[in-house]
């Protein structure tokens, strides 16, 4: 059998450097010149080397052309740092899987190293960089990228079953990358709802030796299989043995949440923050947990840090501002809370952010007895709800706004919002209980039970009616009905899967249709966002890929 060697000849190394395009991102012109000189000495074409002095210029360059290799400093002066540039470049798909991204910095502090590692660049180099080190790292990364090229492209196209098959095919001829290929295959199995298969592979690996990523993967498989207790035991062992494995801390915190152990979840996130305090997501989580447990001072500190750290991040969230405003209001500073909401409105322009801010503003005015402002803000909140698509609000946001409306005496509108929320998640017991609890607190226990049951029944009837029409052969009416239902319930996972199934079944009988293929792909992508790891997603994706290939 053909075996792929893991060594590149000197000639191959030089050929890759000579044929590659480079982007150097550094705020010091002298460092840009020095790195350019190193690349030229390694055989790079001077005309293929571009430069950027800050994050904004770097993203402009990345949007203008594709680069084979990016050398990026971590500290870029005012604005985005190197990690945030990498995050945004990925988010906006300015770099593909084949791009080699090397973080090059003089900063050796633990905070910087841990923070950068979480962004997962291809390499982290400490200045000064020698020619030998640079050539060696670039070529090792290039070899890995080449080995995984077809697999990465399949994943990018959400062709997960093909990606799994390609992992097996590559592993048969590439022993040097066999473990990494198995790791990726197991992650894909879990992602596509095949947790039992992933579990089997992970257990075989761990029976031979301790592998931290395999133990984390096994814990995730158990979570997907509905066994958080076993997952918790595995994760507790892992974080005590591999103390710098931050992803394991996050997974353990989520497991504690599922097991309703909020104090343990808070403690494990605090431990993770002691290792990597520059994570704005983790700081926001700490703020939310501390707020829920009544630790307002700790919550305020965490939310402020989250906002500061995420200022230039593409992943900054309005939730940090909402959390901080709630804490500050709770500590007796309503005007400062309103100022925070004003700042939030300047940073975010989404309908959901505007609704969150206006809802909390109403509460602040009402709590402080400002009737004229409460009335004005309530009218503005109702206008925003009429203008927007309330069915697309996140579950927690929808419930929070409904609770505010109930406190403001807007019972009919609150019930309408909660009805939509139940219809979006009619089979989620935790969500249904949360809706009942909101109404129970307002003395509407019977109304809450009735709303939940009626809304569930209506959602299920709407889902079933389109399926019955499809089975009877009336495809056009079935699709029309299911599209109408999706307007009302855009986050209903079962409905998204049903819609995809109906469209796929129709195309399997009549032939591929490019427009229906695109719509089906969008439906499945949306379902996977709201319910990652559902087995049905993988089954439907296999059918979609078969139709796409036959097109």
């Amino acid at each position: 059998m053909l075996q792929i060697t893991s060594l590149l000849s000197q000639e191959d190394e030089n050929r890759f450097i000579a044929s590659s395009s480079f982007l150097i991102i550094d705020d010091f012109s002298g460092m840009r010149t020095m790195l350019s000189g190193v690349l030229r000495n390694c055989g790079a074409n001077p005309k293929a080397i571009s430069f950027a002095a800050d994050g904004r210029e770097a993203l402009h360059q990345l949007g203008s052309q594709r680069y084979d290799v990016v050398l990026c400093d971590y500290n870029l002066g005012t604005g985005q740092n190197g990690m945030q540039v990498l995050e945004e470049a990925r988010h906006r798909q300015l770099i593909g899987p084949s791009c080699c991204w090397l973080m090059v910095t003089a900063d050796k502090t633990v905070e910087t190293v841990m923070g950068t590692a979480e962004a997962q660049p291809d390499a982290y180099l400490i200045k000064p960089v020698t020619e030998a080190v640079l050539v060696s790292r670039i070529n090792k990364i290039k070899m890995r990228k080449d080995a995984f090229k077809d697999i990465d492209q399949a994943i990018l196209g959400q062709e997960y079953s093909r990606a799994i098959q390609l992992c097996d095919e590559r592993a048969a001829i590439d022993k040097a990358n066999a473990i990494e290929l198995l790791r990726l295959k197991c992650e894909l199995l879990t992602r596509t709802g095949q947790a039992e298969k992933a579990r089997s592979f992970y257990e075989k690996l761990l029976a031979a030796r301790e592998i931290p990523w395999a133990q984390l993967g096994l814990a995730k498989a158990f979570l997907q299989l509905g066994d958080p207790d076993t997952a918790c035991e595995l994760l507790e062992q892992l974080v005590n043995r591999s103390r710098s494995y931050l992803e394991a801390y996050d997974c353990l915190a989520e497991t504690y949440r599922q097991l309703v152990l909020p104090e343990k979840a808070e403690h494990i996130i605090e431990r993770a923050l002691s290792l990597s305090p520059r994570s704005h997501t983790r700081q926001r989580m700490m703020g939310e947990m501390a707020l829920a447990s009544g630790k307002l001072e700790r919550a305020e500190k965490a939310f402020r840090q989250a906002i500061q750290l995420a200022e230039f991040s593409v992943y900054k969230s309005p939730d940090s501002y909402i959390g901080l405003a709630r804490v500050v209001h709770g500590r007796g500073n309503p005007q400062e809370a309103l100022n925070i909401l004003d700042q939030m409105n300047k940073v975010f322009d989404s309908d959901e952010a505007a609704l969150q801010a206006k809802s909390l503003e109403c509460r602040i005015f009402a709590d402080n007895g400002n009737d004229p402002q409460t009335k004005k803000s309530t009218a503005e909140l109702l206008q925003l709800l009429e203008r927007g698509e309330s069915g697309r609000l996140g579950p927690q946001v929808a419930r929070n706004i409904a609770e505010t409306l109930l406190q403001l005496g807007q019972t009919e509108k609150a019930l309408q919002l909660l009805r939509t929320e139940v219809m979006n998640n009619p089979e989620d017991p935790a969500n249904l209980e949360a809706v009942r609890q909101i109404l129970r607190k307002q003395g509407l226990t019977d109304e809450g039970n009735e709303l939940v049951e009626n809304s569930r029944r209506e959602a299920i009837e709407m889902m079933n009616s389109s399926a019955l029409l499809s089975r009877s052969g009336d495809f056009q009416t079935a699709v029309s009905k299911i599209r109408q239902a999706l307007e009302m319930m855009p986050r209903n996972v079962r409905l998204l899967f049903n819609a995809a199934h109906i469209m796929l079944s129709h195309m399997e009988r009549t032939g591929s249709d490019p427009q229906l293929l695109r719509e089906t792909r969008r439906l499945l992508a949306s379902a996977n966002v709201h319910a990652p790891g559902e087995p049905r997603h993988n089954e439907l994706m296999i059918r979609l890929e078969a139709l796409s290939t036959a097109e």
Side-chain angles (χ1 to χ4, degrees), residues 228-242:
D229 291 299
T230 302
C232 185
E233 185 179 343
L234 287 165
L235 291 164
E236 286 175 340
Q237 294 170 1
L238 183 55
V239 297
N240 289 326
R241 190 168 59 241
S242 302

Side-chain angles (χ1 to χ4, degrees), residues 298-443:
R298 180 67 185 94
E300 181 174 347
K301 179 183 176 184
F303 282 130
R304 289 192 188 280
Q305 286 183 299
I307 291 169
Q308 180 185 353
L309 289 165
E311 182 180 2
F312 300 107
S313 171
V314 71
Y315 295 118
K316 59 178 170 282
S317 167
D319 294 343
S320 298
Y321 290 81
I322 290 292
L324 180 59
R326 288 177 63 197
V327 170
V328 167
H329 175 50
R331 299 188 76 184
N333 296 303
Q335 188 54 53
E336 187 182 355
L338 292 170
N339 292 342
I340 292 164
L341 295 179
D342 284 340
Q343 181 187 359
M344 172 183 158
N345 284 326
K346 291 172 185 174
V347 175
F348 302 94
D349 59 2
S350 70
D351 289 344
E352 183 165 313
L355 281 164
Q356 285 181 277
K358 189 58 67 176
S359 174
L360 184 52
E361 180 184 280
C362 290
R363 285 199 189 197
I364 293 169
F365 285 134
D367 289 348
N368 286 275
N370 190 334
D371 293 338
Q373 283 294 342
T374 302
K375 187 175 180 181
K376 178 175 179 291
S377 291
T378 302
E380 290 169 348
L381 175 60
L382 293 172
Q383 284 178 352
L384 284 170
L385 282 168
E386 288 298 324
R387 192 176 69 201
E389 297 182 68
S390 58
R392 298 188 184 278
L393 294 173
Q396 187 63 58
V397 173
R399 293 196 300 264
N400 286 346
I401 294 172
E403 193 165 12
T404 297
L405 289 169
L406 285 168
Q407 291 174 358
L408 296 169
Q410 298 291 329
T411 306
E412 184 179 343
K413 192 64 183 177
L415 293 177
Q416 181 183 337
L417 202 57
L418 291 173
R419 172 177 170 269
T420 301
E421 181 51 39
V422 171
M423 293 182 74
N424 265 305
N425 296 281
E427 295 164 321
D428 180 353
N431 182 60
L432 300 180
E433 179 54 33
V435 169
R436 289 191 186 97
Q437 180 64 24
I438 288 170
L439 292 165
R440 198 177 298 136
K441 283 164 62 177
Q442 299 296 318

Side-chain angles (χ1 to χ4, degrees), residues 167-321:
C167 284
D168 287 335
E169 291 174 3
R170 184 76 194 187
I173 59 170
D174 186 357
K175 299 307 178 187
N177 288 304
I179 291 294
E180 185 61 23
L181 286 160
L182 181 56
R183 175 180 182 169
L184 181 55
K185 175 184 174 177
C186 289
E187 288 174 358
L188 289 167
L189 287 169
T190 306
R191 185 188 299 187
T192 55
Q194 302 176 74
E196 193 59 61
K197 287 184 181 178
R199 170 188 170 181
S200 176
F201 284 115
Y202 284 131
E203 287 178 338
K204 286 176 185 175
L205 280 167
L206 290 167
R209 59 191 173 100
E210 287 183 0
I211 306 173
W213 60 258
Q215 187 155 338
L216 175 61
L218 181 59
K220 288 180 177 180
F222 274 114
L223 281 174
Q224 197 177 105
L225 292 166
D227 188 354
D229 291 299
T230 302
C232 185
E233 185 179 343
L234 287 165
L235 291 164
E236 286 175 340
Q237 294 170 1
L238 183 55
V239 297
N240 289 326
R241 190 168 59 241
S242 302
R243 295 181 180 274
S244 60
Y245 199 176
L246 292 167
E247 190 181 353
Y249 287 82
D250 295 336
C251 192
L252 180 54
E254 177 55 34
T255 305
Y256 283 144
R257 280 186 170 188
Q258 289 189 26
L259 293 169
V260 198
L261 298 169
E263 289 184 6
K264 286 192 171 186
E266 187 177 333
H267 173 69
I268 208 67
I269 289 297
E270 194 77 82
R271 278 180 60 184
L273 284 170
S274 70
L275 292 168
S276 182
R278 293 185 182 177
S279 165
H280 62 85
T281 350
R282 224 169 269 125
Q283 290 286 4
R284 187 183 75 242
M285 287 172 63
M286 173 53 65
E288 290 167 352
M289 291 176 184
L291 175 59
S293 60
K295 300 170 186 171
L296 298 188
E297 186 176 348
R298 180 67 185 94
E300 181 174 347
K301 179 183 176 184
F303 282 130
R304 289 192 188 280
Q305 286 183 299
I307 291 169
Q308 180 185 353
L309 289 165
E311 182 180 2
F312 300 107
S313 171
V314 71
Y315 295 118
K316 59 178 170 282
S317 167
D319 294 343
S320 298
Y321 290 81

